[in-house]
Amino acid sequence: MTRRARRFLKRIQRARSHYDLQEIASTIQTEVDRRRLTYDEALSLGNSIQSYADTIPGDTIVYAISDRDAYRRTLEL
């Protein structure tokens, strides 16, 4: 895992709300688009976001690159 990905992981662990997690997920998507993060790193971080979002109270969905996102897209099709 690169230094950039480890920084995102620390930010994920410090997030306090679903809004914070969504903001991080959007930043990760931007980094992937700019090719500063690989898709595999983004997928790993997205899975971390999804599992951490499950521990925060509330029923808001966090949209991030993750296995759940791929499953959600498959269901939509």
Side-chain angles (χ1 to χ4, degrees):
M1 188 176 279
T2 63
R3 180 181 294 174
R4 188 178 306 266
R6 285 192 304 266
R7 286 182 189 160
F8 279 115
L9 190 58
K10 287 179 184 177
R11 283 181 62 192
I12 292 167
Q13 293 169 347
R14 284 185 261 147
R16 298 287 178 222
S17 67
H18 287 107
Y19 178 79
D20 294 338
L21 291 173
Q22 185 61 61
E23 185 178 326
I24 295 167
S26 297
T27 306
I28 290 171
Q29 180 64 51
T30 303
E31 294 293 307
V32 170
D33 293 342
R34 292 181 181 172
R35 300 179 192 265
R36 293 180 182 168
L37 278 177
T38 64
Y39 183 80
D40 290 334
E41 288 174 326
L43 184 64
S44 175
L45 291 168
N47 288 334
S48 297
I49 288 172
Q50 295 293 347
S51 63
Y52 191 71
D54 290 341
T55 64
I56 297 175
D59 59 351
T60 306
I61 297 174
V62 177
Y63 292 96
I65 297 174
S66 67
D67 293 330
R68 286 186 193 176
D69 188 44
Y71 177 71
R72 194 178 304 126
R73 286 185 186 165
T74 302
L75 290 177
E76 288 174 357
L77 292 175

